Amino acid sequence: LDVLTPALSGPGPVDVENDTFTVHNPLDIGPVAPLPVLIAALGPVMLRIAGEQADGTILWMADERAIADHVTPRITEAAAAAGRPAPRIVAGLPVCLCRPSEVDAARERANRILAEAETSPNYQRLLDRGGATSIGDICVAGDEEAIAAGLRRYAEAGATDLSVRLLPIGDTLDDLRASKRRTREMIAALAKDLR
């Protein structure tokens, strides 16, 4: 962050010398528009760093309770103490538009194809901070109303942005493609309505 932040803040040179980096870049270039820096901060130390030095965090495997009780207070307190604006909290979620009778199938599919992250100690600690035991528990699945309600719960917990992982269900490739398309179109319509 000591190097990245000045490089993205330009125009201007980057001159950084610390215990890890020696960077003297005389190029006087910078982004055309402000470019936010978001880091994957999950634990207390990284959330403090994200609040103090970055524009926010990007999460995966965090349910509403983990965001409300662990992420939001730590990162916003650190940002406030550093005199920075309220940070962005990007919640990464699998989402599946389906009939209520298919919600269990969606959760099972999430556990089958996305569960590799659960073996990470960092993600496991984040799961433990919330009420979820698996990625299937975090999956927002159901009809349009259920998905809208699930996304509202994340917003109420402190998520400022959502990073949606489309989770299709079905028995055939055509079923999976149609499911993914329906979910994408519903999310796009919902995002448009929120603007």
Side-chain angles (χ1 to χ4, degrees), residues 13 42 44 54 62 82 87 91 96 121 124 134 136 152-153 165 184 186-189 194:
L42 308 176
C96 179
Q124 191 58 57
S134 69
R152 273 194 303 275
R153 286 192 303 273
R165 166 74 187 260
R184 182 184 316 113
M186 189 275 303
I187 293 294
L194 294 175

Side-chain angles (χ1 to χ4, degrees), residues 24-172:
H24 300 289
N25 184 351
L27 296 179
D28 192 13
I29 59 174
V32 174
L35 187 61
V37 175
L38 305 169
I39 60 176
L42 308 176
V45 172
M46 288 298 291
L47 287 167
R48 179 183 50 75
I49 292 168
E52 291 173 350
Q53 298 182 39
D55 296 301
T57 184
I58 300 176
L59 306 170
W60 182 248
M61 303 290 283
D63 69 4
E64 306 98 311
R65 190 172 93 197
I67 292 172
D69 296 347
H70 170 67
V71 174
T72 302
R74 282 181 170 80
I75 195 170
T76 54
E77 181 179 307
R84 296 181 54 85
R88 290 172 61 188
I89 299 171
V90 182
L93 308 167
V95 178
C96 179
L97 176 63
C98 61
R99 292 185 295 273
S101 62
E102 297 174 313
V103 169
D104 287 341
R107 294 186 193 288
E108 288 171 18
R109 181 163 168 79
N111 285 331
R112 191 171 61 252
I113 67 172
L114 301 173
E116 72 281 348
E118 293 173 21
T119 61
S120 162
N122 291 327
Y123 287 129
Q124 191 58 57
R125 281 191 292 275
L126 196 56
L127 281 172
D128 292 344
R129 292 183 185 279
T133 59
S134 69
I135 189 67
D137 293 340
I138 295 169
C139 179
V140 179
D143 60 19
E144 290 90 345
E145 290 158 13
I147 290 174
L151 299 181
R152 273 194 303 275
R153 286 192 303 273
Y154 276 87
E156 290 164 1
T160 60
D161 301 77
L162 298 171
S163 174
V164 171
R165 166 74 187 260
L166 299 175
L167 180 71
I169 59 170
D171 296 324
T172 68

